[in-house]
């Protein structure tokens, strides 16, 4: 009686899994299975049958959004003309490698089928390194539309078109009108939002269309959309504040047009990266992106001569026309040129584009005589070697569509582009504000001595615990499961007798401000830590912030770390400011737990400013192993700090992609050691004093790659 669909012989309302199994047997064209509202736990769904275009076989929710699939669940489609709609996957994870798969097994696929108005929200395996694909498209002529996919925290592509050998190579799938919601940085390869194909089959056409989707804070890795096949169209999408690019990684003859990419000044926001033959990039609008190098607003890459299928084919016959690049950080021609990538673009054109920036944003990394430039206008400086880019002043006005256009000049992107809003994509019935409360969003509680442990246990997300003056003694680890601020005033000290003071677990982040912490009572055993990330892998990226903190007495036993990170966890940031550290036998930031060479590093951003380190064995030990080029980070900054005494190396940074060491004074301390392993790391060592301290030691662990090092205005000398 709760059925809202008109009753007919072909409608099967099912209330449990055994009823589903019964109903799902021998489905005929026009049949509909209706899942009753409620929570379906540990439900492994197989929808199999052959419908027709007029009479598809449907699997629907009794009420859209009221059918929750949770626990160890997944969905497989096999046959033809199947439609799934209205389901929400939440509070669970796929038991296998694919959550929603358009195949039953390696022999039985789905074609002409559709996934519409489906939600997958945070349906993550317990270990972030355990890879799965949320939507795996096999077969041909399938459509995924008006769905919402958000908060994937584990390795693996959100939505992939998979093209196994022997299956139809022309897939003709359509991925449209979806909302790809936030995906935090994964800190490893495999964080793509969409991937079409893989390199092995990339010389054949998939002819998949990715159209009118909204990508919103899709930060997983450097590729938001990774095209690894030919003949695809990426059209009319809006990409908002997302780290990464549309990457024409493998395959030829793809078309990228009429997309709007708005970086809004966020770090690592990218544009479109061009590799291979016959790519057309036209009519796109890119504004406010901050990516450089591979993440440039347009990056035309250098190729590898006679490239292996999985490396970089030379760019040939690329047509890049009528795009607008407004306030972008960089356009790069000949990107990635190095000892291996020596083949510059050929037979290509860059025409009638608009580049609006006060700064010099065009970088030429190789001989680009093979790119014919004509009719382009730049408001900023143009490299002298570039003909076909005219520098002139242009008045830009913001049109009704929210985008900037030049007055009285016909260059750049078309005037009828649209910026998609969340209301126009995804399922209208699902609440999509997924903002997590941060530090300070909750209530403030005053905590007297002796009450800290209870106050932490009773706290809620975003709360501030304001500690009274005096000594707070802690005898059990304080477990943190949400963002929490511990604040002190003058003469507030925490002393602790446990190996770990603050233990972060899933969802936990900590900010400590304005208090002293003493390690003198800690156990006399190696490996204590003031703050330790979770012992098992966590999905949510954590944050650690120390501000106006004074730390002392952490040298009664070896390897006493301030922040000890663990494998399988990922920090959004670790920031330290206006703090002092004395007598630490371990590392202030220990972020070198990776044992493989996959580039699975521990924290995206580590920033230390205006702090004092005295007799500290190591300020930071940061490792990102291997040569993979898929991630933005890690980045590291040490600014305006005073370092006296301490171990060697005082700072060890390996595989860190962005390093700033500026305006510090090192006195009688060990060396700063920087080992490069990835792509084109940026290093700026400027305005420091190295007194009775060795000069920084920089080394390349691998021959390829071209570090961009600025080392200037440093003073070497004796200590006073
Ligand atoms: Ca990748």
């Amino acid at each position: 009686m709760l059925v809202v669909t008109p009753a007919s012989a072909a409608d099967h309302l099912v209330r449990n899994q055994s009823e589903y199994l019964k109903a799902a047997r021998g489905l005929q064209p026009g049949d509909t299975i209706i899942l009753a509202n409620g929570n379906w736990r540990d439900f492994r769904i197989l929808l199999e049958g052959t419908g027709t275009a007029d009479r598809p076989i449907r699997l629907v929710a009794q009420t859209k959004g009221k059918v929750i699939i949770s626990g160890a669940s997944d969905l497989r489609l096999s046959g033809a003309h199947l439609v799934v709609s209205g389901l929400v996957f939440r509070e669970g994870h796929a038991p296998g490698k694919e959550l929603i798969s358009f195949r039953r097994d390696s022999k039985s696929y789905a074609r002409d089928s559709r996934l519409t108005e489906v939600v997958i929200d945070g349906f993550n395996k317990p270990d972030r390194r355990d890879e799965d694909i949320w939507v795996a498209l096999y077969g041909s002529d399938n459509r995924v539309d008006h769905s919402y996919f958000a908060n994937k925290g584990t390795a693996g592509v959100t939505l992939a078109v998979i093209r196994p050998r022997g299956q139809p190579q022309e897939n003709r799938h359509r991925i449209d009108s979806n909302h790809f919601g936030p995906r935090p940085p994964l800190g490893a390869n495999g964080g793509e939002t969409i991937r079409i194909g893989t390199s092995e089959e990339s010389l054949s056409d998939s002819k998949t269309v990715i159209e009118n989707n909204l990508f919103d804070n899709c930060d997983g890795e450097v590729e938001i959309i990774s095209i690894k096949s030919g003949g695809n169209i990426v059209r009319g999408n809006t990409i908002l504040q997302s780290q990464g690019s549309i990457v024409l990684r493998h395959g030829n003859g793809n078309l990228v047009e009429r997309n709007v990419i708005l970086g809004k000044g966020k770090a690592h926001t990218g544009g479109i990266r061009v590799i291979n033959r016959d790519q057309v990039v036209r009519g796109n609008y890119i504004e406010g992106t901050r990516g450089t190098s591979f993440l440039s607003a347009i990056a035309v890459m250098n190729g590898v001569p006679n490239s292996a299928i999985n490396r970089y084919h030379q760019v040939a016959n690329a047509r890049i026309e009528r795009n607008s690049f407004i306030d972008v950080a960089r356009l790069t021609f000949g990107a990635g040129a190095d000892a291996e990538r020596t083949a510059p673009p050929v037979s290509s054109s860059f025409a009638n584009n608009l580049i609006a920036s006060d700064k010099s944003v065009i970088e030429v990394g190789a001989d680009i005589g093979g790119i014919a430039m004509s009719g382009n206008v730049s408001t900023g400086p143009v490299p002298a070697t570039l003909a076909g880019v005219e520098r002139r002043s242009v008045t830009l006005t913001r049109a009704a569509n929210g985008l900037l256009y030049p007055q009285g000049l016909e260059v750049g992107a078309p005037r009828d582009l649209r910026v998609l809003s969340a209301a126009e994509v995804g399922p209208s019935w699902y609440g999509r504000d997924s903002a997590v409360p941060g530090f300070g969003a909750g209530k403030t509680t005053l905590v007297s001595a002796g009450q800290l442990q209870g106050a932490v246990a009773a706290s809620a997300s975003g709360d501030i615990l304001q500690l009274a003056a005096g000594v707070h003694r802690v005898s059990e680890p304080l477990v943190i499961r949400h963002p929490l601020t511990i604040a002190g005033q003058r003469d507030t000290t925490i002393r602790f007798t446990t190996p770990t003071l603050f233990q972060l677990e899933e969802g936990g982040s900590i900010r400590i401000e304005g208090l002293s912490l003493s390690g003198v009572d800690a156990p006399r055993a190696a490996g204590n830590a003031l703050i330790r990330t979770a012992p098992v892998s966590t999905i949510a990226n954590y944050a650690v912030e120390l501000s106006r903190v004074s730390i002392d007495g952490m040298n009664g036993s070896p390897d006493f770390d301030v922040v000890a990170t663990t494998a399988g966890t990922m920090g959004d940031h670790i920031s330290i400011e206006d703090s002092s550290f004395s007598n630490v036998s371990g590392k202030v930031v220990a972020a070198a737990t990776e044992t493989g060479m996959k580039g699975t590093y521990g924290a995206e951003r580590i920033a230390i400013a205006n702090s004092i380190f005295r007799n500290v064995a190591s300020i930071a030990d940061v490792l990102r192993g291997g040569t993979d080029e898929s991630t933005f980070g890690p980045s590291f900054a040490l600014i305006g700090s005073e370092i006296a005494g301490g171990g060697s190396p005082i700072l060890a940074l390996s595989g860190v992609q962005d390093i700033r060491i500026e305006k510090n004074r090192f006195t009688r301390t060990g060396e700063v050691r920087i080992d490069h392993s990835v792509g084109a790391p940026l290093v700026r060592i400027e305005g420091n004093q190295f007194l009775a301290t060795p000069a920084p030691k920089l080394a390349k662990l691998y021959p390829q790659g071209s570090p961009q090092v600025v080392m200037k205005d440093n003073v070497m000398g004796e200590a006073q």
Side-chain angles (χ1 to χ4, degrees), residues 172-196:
R172 297 180 302 271
H173 298 311
R174 205 166 146 217
I175 301 160
D176 69 280
S177 314
N178 300 291
H179 184 171
F180 291 91
R183 174 156 197 188
L186 178 64
N189 189 12
E192 302 90 349
T193 295
I194 294 182
R195 193 190 73 219
I196 311 294

Side-chain angles (χ1 to χ4, degrees), residues 188-192 195 221-223 226 228 628-631:
N189 189 12
E192 302 90 349
R195 193 190 73 219
E221 62 140 277
V222 296
E223 298 174 279
S226 179
K228 296 187 171 179
D628 176 81
E629 292 171 315
S630 305
T631 68

Side-chain angles (χ1 to χ4, degrees), residues 634-648:
S635 73
F636 177 87
L638 176 66
I639 314 276
S641 295
E642 174 88 39
I643 301 98
S648 185

